[in-house]
Amino acid sequence: MQRIAVLGAGSWGTALSLVLADNQHEVRLWGHRKELIQEINETHKNQKYLPDIELSDNIKGCTDLRETLQDVQIAVIAVPTKAIREVLQDVIKVISHKLTIVHVSKGIEPDSLLRISEIIKEEVPEDLLQDVVVLSGPSHAEEVGLRQPTTVTSSSDNLAAAELVQDLFMNQHFRVYTNPDVIGVEIGGALKNIIALAAGITDGLGYGDNAKAALITRGLAEIARLGSIMGGNPLTFSGLTGIGDLIVTCTSVHSRNWRAGNLLGKGQKLEDVLENMGMVVEGVRTTKAAYQLAQKFDVKMPITEALYAVLFNGKEVKDAVDSLMARVKTHEMEDLVNISENRC
């Protein structure tokens, strides 16, 4: 039994708290909204994010960060990418001991172009940071909360840390593999949100399965193309945090990125979509970051470029799809050869 802090009381933080509590760990679930934390403690429910799911008595809601982290060696960061720096800066103000930080968010920071593990290492001093572990994969919080079968990957530069997190989370409903490729795991998890936005757009436009299959397949090629140049293992993109996460995010109504794209495809404006979603749509920010990375590494990412034009330059979604279909002809196997050569 471990005492574990989960920072972020949204749907994913709450679902992971439930997994840890099922494994008999003592969980301190931190959130900044007092009424939400009060609901968790008094009713054992989080109706806004995981409606009608009973939470374990092993989960204690907290609003005080110092109290949350007291006598804790493992902290799970489950906040949106844009909030991670602020939360980490608050964390280091209230701790005096080393933490193993497990991050479960999926994004890349625009402008700095840092992956989340890099942000963590930049913000947390070495004397306060034990290890950084990424927990990622095809995993809707709604299904995890219902204890439906789910499989994810634990990744770290330190295999022992990845295996520690594997042991903490793994049970009969929640299977955890390990993978040493931190870069590939993070890039796959972040960039699939871009393709999910695009998949939602095609559905919103009324296109069929042919279009979505093409989008997912060519989207995976983009992800692997950029990820391998950045140092990721091409094989990672055929695993849980690559094609696995891509499939679930592009095809499920649980996916907020798919839902946002679907509304865009139906003609709604981006600002209206984001306002009405009520939750962070990571793919929007990540599209900007991936577009910048494509320019930095001189990588062809036509789907990302088309989506960037829609989100940030006001291009009509139908025109963006038409421009993708009108691209100069090429050989499908070029990608496989180029990815392999980049790795070598």
Side-chain angles (χ1 to χ4, degrees):
M1 178 179 173
Q2 293 258 16
R3 181 179 294 119
I4 302 170
V6 177
L7 309 184
S11 56
W12 195 214
T14 304
L16 290 175
S17 295
L18 193 60
V19 174
L20 291 167
D22 282 348
N23 291 349
Q24 305 307 309
H25 300 299
E26 178 188 332
V27 182
R28 293 176 183 166
L29 178 58
W30 174 85
H32 58 83
R33 290 177 50 209
K34 291 183 179 180
E35 62 275 17
L36 177 61
I37 297 303
Q38 184 177 0
E39 178 188 43
I40 290 171
N41 288 331
E42 292 181 357
T43 70
H44 302 293
K45 296 280 181 69
N46 186 340
Q47 285 295 120
K48 178 176 173 60
Y49 293 106
L50 282 185
D52 303 322
I53 290 178
E54 188 80 20
L55 302 181
S56 167
D57 291 342
N58 283 359
I59 300 173
K60 177 187 177 184
C62 301
T63 56
D64 186 298
L65 198 53
R66 187 184 301 274
E67 176 191 355
T68 306
L69 295 168
Q70 186 176 5
D71 300 323
V72 165
Q73 274 70 52
I74 300 168
V76 179
I77 307 290
V79 299
T81 305
K82 67 178 183 180
I84 283 179
R85 283 192 186 274
E86 181 181 355
V87 170
L88 291 172
Q89 289 164 6
D90 290 338
V91 165
I92 63 175
K93 293 175 184 176
V94 299
I95 61 170
S96 57
H97 62 281
K98 282 195 171 186
L99 278 178
T100 290
I101 296 180
V102 184
H103 88 73
V104 299
S105 303
K106 298 173 182 177
I108 299 170
E109 189 174 55
D111 303 325
S112 77
L113 305 183
L114 294 179
R115 294 174 285 108
I116 295 174
S117 64
E118 294 175 311
I119 295 173
I120 294 170
K121 292 175 182 177
E122 187 173 274
E123 290 291 342
V124 182
E126 288 186 10
D127 62 330
L128 295 177
L129 186 61
Q130 184 68 41
D131 288 294
V132 179
V133 182
V134 187
L135 191 68
S136 186
S139 47
H140 289 311
E142 296 85 352
E143 295 182 9
V144 172
L146 293 170
R147 297 176 176 84
Q148 294 182 356
T150 299
T151 306
V152 299
T153 296
S154 173
S155 181
S156 176
D157 294 332
N158 180 0
L159 178 59
E163 290 175 339
L164 169 64
V165 171
Q166 180 184 42
D167 290 339
L168 290 175
F169 281 92
M170 189 158 166
N171 61 33
Q172 61 181 327
H173 310 294
F174 198 80
R175 182 171 178 79
V176 185
Y177 289 87
T178 59
N179 184 337
D181 181 21
V182 175
I183 295 174
V185 167
E186 288 188 300
I187 292 296
L191 268 59
K192 57 89 182 176
N193 286 328
I194 299 172
I195 310 305
L197 271 171
I201 286 175
T202 64
D203 286 331
L205 287 168
Y207 297 155
D209 294 337
N210 295 350
K212 183 176 286 188
L215 186 70
I216 292 174
T217 307
R218 299 310 302 163
L220 181 64
E222 284 194 19
I223 293 170
R225 196 183 303 137
L226 178 63
S228 62
I229 283 180
M230 292 178 66
N233 186 331
L235 292 176
T236 296
F237 305 111
S238 65
L240 289 168
T241 58
I243 188 65
D245 212 352
L246 189 60
I247 290 171
V248 78
T249 314
C250 289
T251 61
S252 174
V253 294
H254 289 314
S255 166
R256 66 189 69 170
N257 289 281
W258 179 89
R259 296 202 309 270
N262 188 253
L263 294 173
L264 290 172
K266 290 177 177 177
Q268 292 193 26
K269 299 297 183 184
L270 177 61
E271 54 270 24
D272 295 331
V273 170
L274 297 179
E275 183 178 345
N276 294 329
M277 286 291 293
M279 291 186 285
V280 173
V281 180
E282 288 279 16
V284 174
R285 234 169 147 256
T286 304
T287 299
K288 181 180 180 181
Y291 180 82
Q292 293 172 330
L293 282 168
Q295 293 180 314
K296 176 181 177 180
F297 290 102
D298 193 24
V299 178
K300 293 180 180 178
M301 300 185 70
I303 297 173
T304 300
E305 291 166 9
L307 187 59
Y308 180 89
V310 169
L311 297 177
F312 300 105
N313 293 336
K315 189 169 186 175
E316 292 295 325
V317 291
K318 180 67 166 59
D319 293 339
V321 173
D322 289 344
S323 68
L324 281 173
M325 293 299 293
R327 290 178 64 238
V328 175
K329 64 182 181 180
T330 186
H331 195 301
E332 184 182 20
M333 291 300 105
E334 277 184 18
D335 278 326
L336 297 179
V337 173
N338 291 336
I339 290 167
S340 177
E341 288 177 350
N342 288 332
R343 183 61 181 174
C344 296

